[in-house]
Amino acid sequence: MSLNPTASCPICAAPATLLRSGYPGYRAPDVYDIFGCCYCDLQFASPFVAIGEIYESIYRQPEIVPGYDRYAAYAQAVSSSDKPLEFLAAREEMYWFVARAMREMSPGSSILEVGSGYGYLTYALSRAGYKIRGVDIAPSAVAAARRRFGDLYLCEDIGTFSRRLPASTDVVVMTEVLEHLEHPMAVLAAIRDALRPGGSLLMTTPSRDFHSADALWRTELPPVHLAWYSKTSLREMARRGGMSIRFQDYSEFHAERVAGIRPEKRQPSPGASLNADYSVRIRSTGDVTRTSLRGWRQAHWPALARLARRSRFARHAMAHFARDSEILGAVLT
């Protein structure tokens, strides 16, 4: 895979600065260049090209792919939950954000989830009484979602959907999809075309702002993630897309947990997850992080973990993590 010593930002087209060359890719032995845009604060990989075979490989065997095994577990748990949306909202910020934002929407709103993946969020919103469809471009993911959750899903890209049914949707939900897109502005334009006047896009993506200003690519390896966004990046996207934007304050989410167990932090994979032939790499014993005694105690005795938590941690958590999260939540209208 050839590297590009110069690149333009995919959001604002400004010249970008090379931050690191030869950065490891999600599939060994691929390597990428990492660039930073000085204008809109976006970090992005070059070549800026998604590889469909990687996603098909992941969707065929999600239970053993690092990170995606979590999503597979959610799909299994949601299928047997009496209140699946509440279940998801209690697990991670992105689902809490969607559930919280949906309270402000009309009960009769028409909803579309873009990048519905394993289908469990579409299903959870449907069970909560919302009129929703999910779209995804991965045939294997759509087929699996239909088998588990029923006929709520279309194998279609948002561009095709918006041309077929323009101005037909009140709310678009897109969680953890933006960072995968090689044409983010085109997708935003298609979403805007699919929305009725006054409609909203609920979007989440990993946050650059949660880390230090000099942090380099604290997200999944390219090309699974092609870009790492900040609030500045998303504001520029919204401005160029002719949409207004507001960001979610996570104070309520963290306040509910500050006296309990801290949500598990999602660490990006430290090395390639796939081999050149798209098979999943088998980790050596040294690569596996052992569960700490504290983690085991928190998982098995949450009440004891609460008692062990000191007040200074509570103050630290509220002071530093209350408003922000490693996941940006944004409402574009």
Side-chain angles (χ1 to χ4, degrees), residues 136-311:
D136 201 290
I137 61 173
S140 56
V142 172
R146 285 174 176 166
R147 284 195 300 270
R148 175 168 276 160
F149 299 121
D151 190 22
L152 296 171
Y153 311 92
L154 300 171
C155 189
E156 191 171 40
D157 65 77
I158 183 59
T160 303
F161 179 92
S162 65
R163 289 190 295 272
R164 185 169 60 83
L165 295 169
S168 61
T169 304
D170 297 302
V171 182
V172 169
V173 174
M174 189 169 74
T175 60
E176 308 301 281
V177 173
L178 180 64
E179 61 274 12
H180 300 269
L181 302 177
E182 62 178 284
H183 301 293
M185 293 306 302
V187 170
L188 183 61
I191 289 173
R192 187 186 59 194
D193 291 343
L195 288 170
R196 294 188 176 111
S200 297
L201 164 63
L202 311 182
M203 180 170 65
T204 70
T205 191
S207 173
R208 285 241 310 116
D209 298 305
F210 193 75
H211 299 269
S212 62
D214 60 351
L216 178 72
W217 208 260
R218 302 285 181 84
T219 189
E220 284 290 354
L221 298 176
V224 169
H225 286 189
L226 289 171
W228 194 24
Y229 291 81
S230 67
K231 289 182 180 179
T232 301
S233 311
L234 295 186
R235 287 190 189 101
E236 183 63 17
M237 276 194 71
R239 187 185 72 82
R240 290 175 177 268
M243 303 179 79
S244 64
I245 186 170
R246 62 179 174 86
F247 294 98
Q248 179 63 51
D249 181 331
Y250 287 103
S251 299
E252 182 182 340
F253 176 83
H254 289 119
E256 293 170 357
R257 289 152 180 78
V258 72
I261 299 173
R262 197 174 177 187
E264 181 181 355
K265 191 171 183 180
R266 294 172 296 281
Q267 295 289 349
S269 177
S273 293
L274 300 181
N275 295 307
D277 63 356
Y278 299 101
S279 61
V280 178
R281 302 193 81 183
I282 303 301
R283 304 286 184 182
S284 67
T285 305
D287 292 334
V288 178
T289 302
R290 296 182 182 274
T291 303
S292 65
L293 176 60
R294 178 181 297 177
W296 185 87
R297 183 184 65 198
Q298 288 180 343
H300 289 79
W301 290 314
L304 180 61
R306 293 189 184 96
L307 291 175
R309 188 174 303 281
R310 298 181 179 180
S311 61

Side-chain angles (χ1 to χ4, degrees), residues 74-115:
Y74 285 158
Q76 178 64 36
V78 159
S79 64
S80 58
S81 173
D82 292 334
K83 297 181 178 180
L85 187 58
E86 291 184 16
F87 169 84
L88 291 173
R91 294 306 183 276
E92 294 191 26
E93 298 97 311
M94 57 182 162
Y95 306 124
W96 177 87
F97 159 68
V98 171
R100 176 74 174 75
M102 287 307 302
R103 297 180 199 167
E104 304 173 9
M105 307 301 171
S106 169
S109 296
S110 172
I111 308 169
L112 180 73
E113 185 187 5
V114 173

